Short mmCIF file of all heavy atoms in Angstrom, two decimals:
data_model
loop_
_atom_site.label_atom_id
_atom_site.label_comp_id
_atom_site.label_asym_id
_atom_site.label_seq_id
_atom_site.Cartn_x
_atom_site.Cartn_y
_atom_site.Cartn_z
N GLU A 1 13.28 -7.78 -1.44
CA GLU A 1 12.68 -7.59 -2.75
C GLU A 1 11.75 -6.48 -2.73
O GLU A 1 11.18 -6.05 -1.67
CB GLU A 1 11.91 -8.92 -3.24
CG GLU A 1 12.90 -10.10 -3.43
CD GLU A 1 12.17 -11.29 -3.92
OE1 GLU A 1 10.97 -11.52 -3.62
OE2 GLU A 1 12.67 -12.00 -4.84
N VAL A 2 11.54 -5.93 -3.92
CA VAL A 2 10.72 -4.71 -4.04
C VAL A 2 9.24 -5.15 -4.35
O VAL A 2 9.04 -6.04 -5.22
CB VAL A 2 11.09 -3.87 -5.28
CG1 VAL A 2 10.14 -2.79 -5.54
CG2 VAL A 2 12.44 -3.25 -4.93
N HIS A 3 8.30 -4.56 -3.65
CA HIS A 3 6.93 -4.79 -3.90
C HIS A 3 6.23 -3.52 -4.26
O HIS A 3 6.49 -2.45 -3.61
CB HIS A 3 6.26 -5.40 -2.59
CG HIS A 3 6.66 -6.70 -2.28
ND1 HIS A 3 5.79 -7.80 -2.31
CD2 HIS A 3 7.84 -7.22 -1.82
CE1 HIS A 3 6.45 -8.86 -1.90
NE2 HIS A 3 7.72 -8.59 -1.65
N ILE A 4 5.54 -3.42 -5.45
CA ILE A 4 4.92 -2.27 -5.92
C ILE A 4 3.36 -2.52 -5.87
O ILE A 4 3.01 -3.60 -6.33
CB ILE A 4 5.34 -1.89 -7.32
CG1 ILE A 4 6.80 -1.62 -7.39
CG2 ILE A 4 4.56 -0.82 -7.81
CD1 ILE A 4 7.37 -1.53 -8.76
N LEU A 5 2.68 -1.60 -5.24
CA LEU A 5 1.25 -1.65 -5.31
C LEU A 5 0.66 -0.56 -6.11
O LEU A 5 0.89 0.50 -5.86
CB LEU A 5 0.71 -1.61 -3.86
CG LEU A 5 1.20 -2.54 -2.78
CD1 LEU A 5 0.62 -2.31 -1.54
CD2 LEU A 5 0.78 -4.05 -3.29
N ILE A 6 -0.06 -0.92 -7.16
CA ILE A 6 -0.88 0.06 -7.83
C ILE A 6 -2.35 -0.07 -7.45
O ILE A 6 -3.02 -1.05 -7.87
CB ILE A 6 -0.62 -0.08 -9.38
CG1 ILE A 6 0.79 -0.04 -9.79
CG2 ILE A 6 -1.57 0.86 -10.16
CD1 ILE A 6 1.42 1.37 -9.54
N ILE A 7 -2.90 0.71 -6.63
CA ILE A 7 -4.19 0.66 -6.06
C ILE A 7 -4.96 1.51 -6.98
O ILE A 7 -4.91 2.71 -7.06
CB ILE A 7 -4.17 1.10 -4.58
CG1 ILE A 7 -3.20 0.33 -3.74
CG2 ILE A 7 -5.52 1.16 -4.03
CD1 ILE A 7 -2.94 0.86 -2.39
N THR A 8 -5.87 0.80 -7.66
CA THR A 8 -6.66 1.53 -8.79
C THR A 8 -7.90 2.17 -8.18
O THR A 8 -8.25 1.94 -7.07
CB THR A 8 -7.04 0.59 -9.89
OG1 THR A 8 -7.99 -0.31 -9.46
CG2 THR A 8 -5.73 -0.26 -10.30
N ASP A 9 -8.59 2.84 -9.18
CA ASP A 9 -9.90 3.50 -8.71
C ASP A 9 -11.02 2.51 -8.36
O ASP A 9 -11.94 2.89 -7.75
CB ASP A 9 -10.39 4.36 -9.91
CG ASP A 9 -9.60 5.59 -10.06
OD1 ASP A 9 -8.98 6.19 -9.05
OD2 ASP A 9 -9.32 6.02 -11.21
N GLU A 10 -10.74 1.25 -8.68
CA GLU A 10 -11.64 0.13 -8.36
C GLU A 10 -11.63 -0.06 -6.80
O GLU A 10 -12.58 -0.59 -6.28
CB GLU A 10 -11.32 -1.15 -9.04
CG GLU A 10 -11.42 -1.05 -10.54
CD GLU A 10 -11.07 -2.38 -11.18
OE1 GLU A 10 -11.44 -3.43 -10.67
OE2 GLU A 10 -10.50 -2.36 -12.23
N HIS A 11 -10.55 0.19 -6.18
CA HIS A 11 -10.39 -0.02 -4.78
C HIS A 11 -9.56 1.07 -4.14
O HIS A 11 -8.58 0.90 -3.54
CB HIS A 11 -9.66 -1.40 -4.52
CG HIS A 11 -9.78 -1.81 -3.05
ND1 HIS A 11 -9.64 -3.26 -2.73
CD2 HIS A 11 -9.97 -1.24 -1.88
CE1 HIS A 11 -9.84 -3.32 -1.47
NE2 HIS A 11 -9.92 -2.18 -0.94
N PRO A 12 -10.18 2.28 -4.06
CA PRO A 12 -9.38 3.55 -3.61
C PRO A 12 -9.09 3.25 -2.08
O PRO A 12 -10.01 2.75 -1.35
CB PRO A 12 -10.33 4.65 -3.91
CG PRO A 12 -11.68 4.05 -3.94
CD PRO A 12 -11.46 2.70 -4.52
N MET A 13 -8.08 3.88 -1.52
CA MET A 13 -7.78 3.72 -0.14
C MET A 13 -7.18 5.12 0.36
O MET A 13 -6.53 5.85 -0.41
CB MET A 13 -6.68 2.72 0.13
CG MET A 13 -7.01 1.27 -0.22
SD MET A 13 -5.64 0.15 0.31
CE MET A 13 -6.37 -1.46 -0.14
N ASP A 14 -7.44 5.38 1.59
CA ASP A 14 -6.61 6.37 2.27
C ASP A 14 -5.34 5.81 2.81
O ASP A 14 -5.16 4.57 2.79
CB ASP A 14 -7.44 7.12 3.31
CG ASP A 14 -7.82 6.19 4.59
OD1 ASP A 14 -6.96 5.36 5.00
OD2 ASP A 14 -8.92 6.35 5.03
N LEU A 15 -4.41 6.57 3.30
CA LEU A 15 -3.10 6.08 3.71
C LEU A 15 -3.21 5.25 4.94
O LEU A 15 -2.37 4.38 5.11
CB LEU A 15 -2.05 7.18 3.80
CG LEU A 15 -1.53 7.63 2.40
CD1 LEU A 15 -0.46 8.59 2.60
CD2 LEU A 15 -1.09 6.56 1.51
N TYR A 16 -4.14 5.36 5.78
CA TYR A 16 -4.31 4.48 6.93
C TYR A 16 -4.70 3.11 6.39
O TYR A 16 -4.15 2.08 6.95
CB TYR A 16 -5.30 5.06 7.93
CG TYR A 16 -4.82 6.31 8.75
CD1 TYR A 16 -5.21 7.54 8.33
CD2 TYR A 16 -3.95 6.06 9.76
CE1 TYR A 16 -4.77 8.64 9.03
CE2 TYR A 16 -3.52 7.21 10.47
CZ TYR A 16 -3.97 8.47 10.05
OH TYR A 16 -3.47 9.60 10.71
N GLU A 17 -5.56 3.04 5.51
CA GLU A 17 -5.93 1.78 4.86
C GLU A 17 -4.74 1.14 4.20
O GLU A 17 -4.58 -0.15 4.20
CB GLU A 17 -7.13 1.91 3.99
CG GLU A 17 -8.43 2.25 4.74
CD GLU A 17 -9.43 2.72 3.73
OE1 GLU A 17 -9.12 3.46 2.71
OE2 GLU A 17 -10.63 2.33 4.00
N VAL A 18 -3.99 1.96 3.52
CA VAL A 18 -2.79 1.49 2.81
C VAL A 18 -1.82 0.89 3.87
O VAL A 18 -1.24 -0.22 3.58
CB VAL A 18 -2.11 2.59 2.06
CG1 VAL A 18 -0.68 2.12 1.47
CG2 VAL A 18 -2.95 2.99 0.88
N GLN A 19 -1.66 1.45 4.98
CA GLN A 19 -0.72 0.92 5.92
C GLN A 19 -1.22 -0.40 6.44
O GLN A 19 -0.35 -1.33 6.62
CB GLN A 19 -0.61 1.91 7.13
CG GLN A 19 0.42 1.49 8.20
CD GLN A 19 0.50 2.40 9.34
OE1 GLN A 19 -0.58 2.59 9.97
NE2 GLN A 19 1.61 2.83 9.84
N ASP A 20 -2.50 -0.53 6.66
CA ASP A 20 -3.02 -1.86 7.14
C ASP A 20 -2.80 -2.88 6.08
O ASP A 20 -2.42 -4.04 6.36
CB ASP A 20 -4.49 -1.80 7.45
CG ASP A 20 -4.84 -0.95 8.63
OD1 ASP A 20 -3.88 -0.70 9.60
OD2 ASP A 20 -5.96 -0.32 8.87
N TYR A 21 -3.04 -2.57 4.81
CA TYR A 21 -2.79 -3.49 3.70
C TYR A 21 -1.37 -3.92 3.62
O TYR A 21 -1.00 -5.09 3.51
CB TYR A 21 -3.32 -2.83 2.38
CG TYR A 21 -3.43 -3.74 1.19
CD1 TYR A 21 -4.58 -4.63 1.14
CD2 TYR A 21 -2.45 -3.93 0.30
CE1 TYR A 21 -4.62 -5.53 0.08
CE2 TYR A 21 -2.62 -4.80 -0.76
CZ TYR A 21 -3.64 -5.57 -0.83
OH TYR A 21 -3.81 -6.55 -1.94
N CYS A 22 -0.45 -2.98 3.76
CA CYS A 22 1.06 -3.31 3.67
C CYS A 22 1.38 -4.26 4.83
O CYS A 22 2.22 -5.09 4.67
CB CYS A 22 1.84 -2.09 3.69
SG CYS A 22 1.76 -1.00 2.05
N LYS A 23 0.84 -4.02 5.92
CA LYS A 23 1.15 -4.79 7.12
C LYS A 23 0.66 -6.33 6.86
O LYS A 23 1.32 -7.29 7.18
CB LYS A 23 0.46 -4.26 8.42
CG LYS A 23 1.13 -3.04 8.99
CD LYS A 23 0.28 -2.56 10.20
CE LYS A 23 0.98 -1.33 10.84
NZ LYS A 23 0.24 -0.89 11.96
N LYS A 24 -0.53 -6.49 6.22
CA LYS A 24 -1.13 -7.78 5.90
C LYS A 24 -0.22 -8.45 4.87
O LYS A 24 -0.11 -9.71 5.02
CB LYS A 24 -2.48 -7.64 5.37
CG LYS A 24 -3.52 -7.27 6.38
CD LYS A 24 -4.89 -7.12 5.79
CE LYS A 24 -5.91 -6.55 6.79
NZ LYS A 24 -7.27 -6.42 6.24
N LEU A 25 0.50 -7.77 4.02
CA LEU A 25 1.41 -8.34 3.14
C LEU A 25 2.74 -8.66 3.76
O LEU A 25 3.56 -9.33 3.13
CB LEU A 25 1.60 -7.42 1.95
CG LEU A 25 0.42 -7.19 1.01
CD1 LEU A 25 0.88 -6.12 -0.08
CD2 LEU A 25 -0.04 -8.41 0.31
N GLY A 26 2.94 -8.21 4.97
CA GLY A 26 4.17 -8.45 5.67
C GLY A 26 5.33 -7.61 5.26
O GLY A 26 6.61 -7.95 5.41
N LEU A 27 4.99 -6.49 4.55
CA LEU A 27 6.12 -5.54 4.19
C LEU A 27 6.81 -5.04 5.38
O LEU A 27 6.24 -4.74 6.32
CB LEU A 27 5.59 -4.37 3.28
CG LEU A 27 4.78 -4.79 2.01
CD1 LEU A 27 4.49 -3.66 1.19
CD2 LEU A 27 5.60 -5.79 1.15
N GLU A 28 8.17 -4.84 5.23
CA GLU A 28 9.02 -4.44 6.33
C GLU A 28 9.10 -2.87 6.33
O GLU A 28 9.06 -2.17 7.36
CB GLU A 28 10.34 -5.06 6.25
CG GLU A 28 10.33 -6.53 6.40
CD GLU A 28 11.46 -7.17 5.63
OE1 GLU A 28 12.33 -6.45 4.98
OE2 GLU A 28 11.45 -8.44 5.60
N ARG A 29 9.10 -2.32 5.09
CA ARG A 29 9.16 -0.81 4.91
C ARG A 29 8.29 -0.60 3.69
O ARG A 29 8.12 -1.33 2.72
CB ARG A 29 10.66 -0.26 4.62
CG ARG A 29 11.41 -0.30 5.93
CD ARG A 29 12.73 0.38 5.76
NE ARG A 29 13.52 0.56 7.03
CZ ARG A 29 13.28 1.48 7.82
NH1 ARG A 29 12.41 2.50 7.54
NH2 ARG A 29 13.89 1.57 9.03
N ALA A 30 7.72 0.61 3.67
CA ALA A 30 6.85 1.00 2.55
C ALA A 30 6.70 2.60 2.59
O ALA A 30 6.89 3.21 3.60
CB ALA A 30 5.48 0.40 2.62
N MET A 31 6.46 3.04 1.40
CA MET A 31 6.34 4.57 1.27
C MET A 31 5.41 4.76 0.01
O MET A 31 5.15 3.88 -0.78
CB MET A 31 7.65 5.22 0.97
CG MET A 31 8.40 4.77 -0.22
SD MET A 31 9.84 5.81 -0.79
CE MET A 31 8.93 7.21 -1.43
N ALA A 32 4.94 5.96 -0.07
CA ALA A 32 4.04 6.28 -1.19
C ALA A 32 4.77 7.18 -2.25
O ALA A 32 5.75 7.91 -1.87
CB ALA A 32 2.81 7.14 -0.68
N PHE A 33 4.45 6.97 -3.46
CA PHE A 33 4.77 7.91 -4.46
C PHE A 33 3.54 8.79 -4.76
O PHE A 33 2.58 8.72 -4.07
CB PHE A 33 5.26 7.27 -5.80
CG PHE A 33 6.63 6.59 -5.68
CD1 PHE A 33 6.92 5.47 -6.31
CD2 PHE A 33 7.77 7.39 -5.20
CE1 PHE A 33 8.19 4.92 -6.30
CE2 PHE A 33 8.98 6.91 -5.11
CZ PHE A 33 9.29 5.64 -5.72
N ASP A 34 3.64 9.69 -5.68
CA ASP A 34 2.48 10.47 -6.10
C ASP A 34 1.35 9.55 -6.37
O ASP A 34 1.52 8.42 -6.91
CB ASP A 34 2.75 11.39 -7.22
CG ASP A 34 1.85 12.43 -7.50
OD1 ASP A 34 0.82 12.56 -6.67
OD2 ASP A 34 1.90 13.21 -8.56
N GLY A 35 0.09 9.90 -5.97
CA GLY A 35 -1.01 9.11 -6.32
C GLY A 35 -2.29 9.80 -6.93
O GLY A 35 -2.00 10.66 -7.62
#
């Protein structure tokens, strides 16, 4: 299944933090679009 994360200005992240967050969600693969 597809999981989309819209990380708003209320909780900004760098991509290392995004990677940690995706791991906590148990995602198997993930990538960024323009942000």
